[in-house]
Amino acid sequence: RDLIVMDITDTVREEEYFVLIDNRGERRIVNIKNTKTIKWRKKLIKLDQLKGKRYDSVYDLDKEGNLAEVVTKEGVDPMGVPDLSDDNEEEGKSEEEPEETRDNRNFFAENKAQKLTNEEIKGLKAKGVEGENIIQEIAKNNQNFEAKTSFSQRKYLKKKMQRHLHRFRIVRTSIANIAETLFVDDASSVNFLRWDSLGVVLHKSNVALSREILVIDNASGVLLGGALSRSSPTANLTCGYFDDKKPAINKYRALNFLNLPRSQTERVKFVSFEALCYGEGEPQPRFDR
């Protein structure tokens, strides 16, 4: 089967779309060329800082909008909860999970265990205590933390990270994460088509082996983009629409988000439903790439 040849790099380029996914699961599809600054969780991010950054790298964002790359030990997910164990612990310990001997039976939801007040936490942040350091201070000053089960400790740390730490990963766009991002942001914009349902549709339609493909897309282009990215580069795609005039480019915006070369997007022919029935041609919209 022929392959679609794309100019792929390991770093973010100005003209490319990419996805930012943070530690709360919130997502943004952005493009440095079109958008210089975005507001995210009450902070302004200058996207120029991301130019040349590696895909799949993770960054912490401080209150001033500056970035600091998160570097962890091999095999440790930087988006996961921090390891607050002593670095000088004896090496060579068994990799098996020790039997849990702690429990939470004597803990009550009274908010009295935390010694630090909100004002003191704000004071630490004002002094420059950022990132995992602020999480470590909060956990250290919780009198019940050490007595919690391992599961409860991870749950506690994750909750504090989501509140006090803005951490995100830079991800290359794919039809799956585009569909998920658009659905989570506004399900009606993709006609309530879930990303997992999109995968089922593409699998059942078997577009990979088809040479002539007809798509009716009323889901911001995610169905059309999925068919285009999965099909052979020599396949012909026809996208029908029900409007009286040719569709606006942003109606199929997922095609732009995929960063496909123009030679691929130009394989799509847009015709009205009436033209599909009676064979009348229609002018074709053009895309960024």
Side-chain angles (χ1 to χ4, degrees):
R1 182 187 165 207
D2 297 328
L3 297 176
I4 295 178
V5 179
M6 297 176 59
D7 184 14
I8 297 178
T9 63
D10 293 329
T11 57
V12 174
R13 296 189 296 186
E14 185 178 25
E15 67 276 9
E16 288 181 336
Y17 286 92
F18 53 94
V19 186
L20 303 179
I21 306 176
D22 76 358
N23 57 331
R24 291 184 183 177
E26 297 180 11
R27 297 159 171 264
R28 296 287 189 278
I29 299 177
V30 295
N31 176 290
I32 299 175
K33 184 177 181 179
N34 296 339
T35 308
K36 300 300 182 183
T37 305
I38 63 171
K39 188 174 183 180
W40 198 5
R41 286 167 56 174
K42 299 181 180 181
K43 297 177 182 177
L44 292 177
I45 306 178
K46 294 181 179 179
L47 296 181
D48 285 338
Q49 299 179 88
L50 302 178
K51 185 177 179 180
K53 302 295 186 184
R54 293 179 298 105
Y55 281 111
D56 292 324
S57 56
V58 176
Y59 292 87
D60 283 339
L61 181 70
D62 65 19
K63 61 182 180 180
E64 304 298 333
N66 300 314
L67 301 179
E69 186 171 6
V70 180
V71 180
T72 60
K73 299 177 183 178
E74 185 176 356
V76 177
D77 182 8
M79 293 293 284
V81 297
D83 181 9
L84 302 185
S85 60
D86 187 356
D87 292 336
N88 296 320
E89 285 184 351
E90 184 179 343
E91 296 184 2
K93 294 170 67 176
S94 172
E95 295 182 0
E96 295 182 2
E97 191 73 23
E99 183 179 351
E100 187 64 76
T101 59
R102 298 166 293 186
D103 60 55
N104 303 332
R105 73 180 72 181
N106 297 319
F107 300 154
F108 301 95
E110 298 178 336
N111 295 327
K112 296 180 180 180
Q114 180 56 251
K115 300 175 185 177
L116 291 177
T117 64
N118 288 332
E119 288 71 23
E120 289 173 328
I121 293 175
K122 290 179 181 179
L124 289 173
K125 292 180 178 179
K127 292 178 182 178
V129 181
E130 296 281 353
E132 293 182 0
N133 293 328
I134 193 71
I135 307 300
Q136 188 168 9
E137 286 296 323
I138 293 173
K140 186 191 303 181
N141 285 277
N142 186 297
Q143 62 186 15
N144 293 335
F145 183 78
E146 293 298 332
K148 291 177 180 285
T149 64
S150 298
F151 175 80
S152 294
Q153 287 181 349
R154 291 193 294 269
K155 184 178 179 181
Y156 176 86
L157 291 173
K158 182 178 180 180
K159 181 178 179 181
K160 296 305 176 184
M161 285 183 65
Q162 291 176 341
R163 179 175 179 180
H164 298 284
L165 185 64
H166 193 177
R167 178 170 291 182
F168 64 87
R169 188 192 301 274
I170 305 173
V171 181
R172 193 188 307 277
T173 57
S174 67
I175 194 59
N177 60 38
I178 291 171
E180 183 174 0
T181 302
L182 294 179
F183 182 91
V184 172
D185 182 57
D186 181 9
S188 64
S189 69
V190 291
N191 208 10
F192 301 94
L193 177 64
R194 287 177 53 89
W195 58 98
D196 46 2
S197 299
L198 172 65
V200 174
V201 171
L202 294 175
H203 173 69
K204 295 293 185 180
S205 61
N206 198 26
V207 295
L209 299 179
S210 302
R211 291 294 179 177
E212 297 290 339
I213 303 170
L214 171 63
V215 179
I216 305 295
D217 188 314
N218 196 24
S220 295
V222 295
L223 186 58
L224 178 60
L228 183 61
S229 59
R230 284 207 179 188
S231 65
S232 166
T234 58
N236 297 317
L237 281 83
T238 301
C239 182
Y241 59 90
F242 296 98
D243 300 331
D244 295 331
K245 57 182 179 180
K246 68 177 182 180
I249 292 177
N250 60 4
K251 181 175 181 179
Y252 305 102
R253 52 184 175 149
L255 283 184
N256 284 336
F257 295 160
L258 278 171
N259 300 314
L260 293 173
R262 186 179 293 276
S263 60
Q264 295 304 316
T265 59
E266 288 182 343
R267 290 194 294 119
V268 182
K269 181 180 180 181
F270 293 85
V271 296
S272 68
F273 187 74
E274 181 180 354
L276 287 173
C277 296
Y278 300 104
E280 298 176 3
E282 290 287 338
Q284 306 303 309
R286 296 180 64 85
F287 291 87
D288 291 346
R289 295 177 63 84

